[in-house]
Amino acid sequence: MKNTESILFKATTNLTFWVLIAIICGVLLGHFHPENGQKMKIVGDSFIQLVKIFIGPIIFLTIVLGIAGMGDLKKVGRIGIKSLIYFEIVTTFALAIGVAAAYIIQPGKIDKSGLTIEDASKYTSSAKTAFSWLDFFMSNFTLQVLVVAIIFGLVLNYHKKRETVIAVLYNWSKIVFRALKFVMYLAPLGAFGAMAYTVGKFGFETLIPLGKLMITVYITMAIFIFVVLGSILRYYKISILDFIKSLKAELLIVLGTSSSEPALPNLMNKLESMGCSKSVVGLVVPTGYSFNLDGTSIYLSMAVIFLAQLYNVPLSFGEILTIIGLLMITSKGAAGVTGSGFIVLASTLTAIHKIPVEGLAFLLGVDKFMSEARAITNFIGNGVAAIVISKNENEFVDPENPMELD
């Protein structure tokens, strides 16, 4: 009896338990009272906006402390180069998998007679002008913080009072993380609001091609996680299943909020507790949030092929390579700008001059449902990246890690 009471007490005092309950309640409210469910949008949005206040300071502090903590600038450069090479290889592979899955499953290959094209110009008006890296950088706060933090960290290594500054920044880091810990107690409210709005707004019914696309996206990302990322981890004798289980609380937060940002600090803490070097985690994970978007890459490439199938537009092998090449560049940092996925897609469609840009209107109905898959895949991918770089640098300091295979 006491054991049962103890288990119930632990469950009801666990944040994961309440996030799961909140998700269920949100789904039920959105389904049975859709009007009230849609009103909950402000609750989910407010939670995400509250958490995003911490993202800038956390990225800045962790990267600066990570670089300054390494001391050896050659080491910083080496890890940075290895990280960028790893990011580019994996995200390019993700883009190729998205294209391959779309061609194999063909979610857009249906009778279009019952479908109506909506005007998508209001969602893609910004794509009418040429793509500008300067404009993209100026609108992407995450990239700006990354650049400033890297420069500051490098300069700090040459500062006479380096240790004093590091001590101050370390204290500020503890304060920021402690404050965020209290904010995360509101995660169930954020999950409830987001799920209630999603179900209340779009319901359970959708068009056949969009339903097929959504299923294809989830299947493809599951294969990518368990086969591709799983194989990478297995090379380092780590089980992907055990790794995912260790992040179950964070994954529920990502699932409920459709954003990987709220779980960023917890991911970094978990990776350090698993054995990854603090300095490597502080450099790799925040950078990966802009440059290692596996889920976003899969979705973007699959969406382009989906629209081509929807309009029955044949694409040559050269055009497919062009699409992958364009997305390799424009998808970087896409998760840091609200609605940037549509801008990236519109830019790609405009560049190849074959697929109608107005087809993006089709994606608006289920984009919210697929955002969970993108966020979860991005989240797990960045965790795997930190482990890979830590292992490669011999900075995986916990040989007794329970995730390691026999």
Side-chain angles (χ1 to χ4, degrees), residues 53-63 176-177 180 264-265 268 286:
I53 294 175
F54 292 85
I55 298 302
I58 286 174
I59 289 178
F60 177 81
L61 291 169
T62 51
I63 288 183
V176 170
F177 275 94
L180 184 61
L264 168 63
M268 297 175 71

Side-chain angles (χ1 to χ4, degrees), residues 313-332:
V313 176
L315 296 173
S316 66
F317 183 71
E319 288 169 336
I320 293 174
L321 291 180
T322 299
I323 291 171
I324 293 176
L326 287 171
L327 291 176
M328 281 173 59
I329 299 173
T330 57
S331 63
K332 298 298 181 286

Side-chain angles (χ1 to χ4, degrees), residues 108-370:
K109 283 286 186 180
I110 65 164
D111 181 11
K112 307 198 305 284
S113 60
L115 303 180
T116 303
I117 299 293
E118 297 179 13
D119 180 16
S121 60
K122 61 181 178 180
Y123 302 105
T124 59
S125 58
S126 58
K128 294 180 180 179
T129 58
F131 181 83
S132 169
W133 273 108
L134 179 61
D135 293 340
F136 189 64
F137 176 79
M138 294 302 293
S139 64
N140 195 315
F141 178 70
T142 302
L143 288 178
Q144 295 170 13
V145 174
L146 279 170
V147 172
V148 172
I150 291 172
I151 294 174
F152 188 88
L154 293 173
V155 172
L156 183 58
N157 275 283
Y158 295 100
H159 197 275
K160 293 181 179 179
K161 296 184 179 180
R162 172 176 170 273
E163 297 299 330
T164 302
V165 176
I166 290 177
V168 173
L169 292 177
Y170 181 72
N171 289 332
W172 275 105
S173 177
K174 290 196 296 183
I175 293 173
V176 170
F177 275 94
R178 188 179 300 116
L180 184 61
K181 179 180 179 180
F182 288 105
V183 171
M184 291 309 297
Y185 286 125
L186 300 175
L189 290 177
F192 170 77
M195 295 305 295
Y197 168 75
T198 300
V199 177
K201 177 71 173 179
F202 303 109
F204 291 115
E205 297 180 357
T206 187
L207 298 174
I208 293 176
L210 296 180
K212 291 175 65 177
L213 174 63
M214 186 172 67
I215 293 173
T216 303
V217 166
Y218 273 87
I219 291 175
T220 305
M221 293 193 186
I223 292 174
F224 181 83
I225 290 172
F226 291 104
V227 177
V228 178
L229 297 182
S231 298
I232 293 174
L233 283 184
R234 190 168 186 84
Y235 176 80
Y236 292 100
K237 298 183 179 179
I238 294 177
S239 166
I240 184 67
L241 291 176
D242 289 339
F243 177 64
I244 292 175
K245 287 178 183 178
S246 69
L247 297 175
K248 58 184 178 182
E250 290 73 24
L251 288 173
L252 281 174
I253 293 174
V254 174
L255 177 64
T257 61
S258 302
S259 173
S260 58
E261 290 182 340
L264 168 63
N266 289 353
L267 172 63
M268 297 175 71
N269 288 334
K270 283 287 181 70
L271 288 169
E272 290 174 20
S273 66
M274 291 173 189
C276 294
S277 166
K278 183 180 181 66
S279 57
V280 172
V281 170
L283 185 63
V284 174
V285 175
T287 306
Y289 263 59
S290 281
F291 293 96
N292 188 37
L293 306 174
D294 302 330
T296 302
S297 298
I298 291 172
Y299 168 72
L300 291 175
S301 60
M302 190 174 290
V304 173
I305 304 303
F306 167 78
L307 292 175
Q309 293 171 351
L310 203 62
Y311 285 98
N312 196 27
V313 176
L315 296 173
S316 66
F317 183 71
E319 288 169 336
I320 293 174
L321 291 180
T322 299
I323 291 171
I324 293 176
L326 287 171
L327 291 176
M328 281 173 59
I329 299 173
T330 57
S331 63
K332 298 298 181 286
V337 183
T338 302
S340 63
F342 283 96
I343 295 176
V344 170
L345 284 174
S347 301
T348 305
L349 297 180
T350 302
I352 59 178
H353 299 294
K354 291 194 70 173
I355 305 171
V357 179
E358 59 267 20
L360 291 179
F362 280 115
L363 300 177
L364 297 177
V366 295
D367 181 74
K368 177 64 178 176
F369 287 105
M370 292 184 287

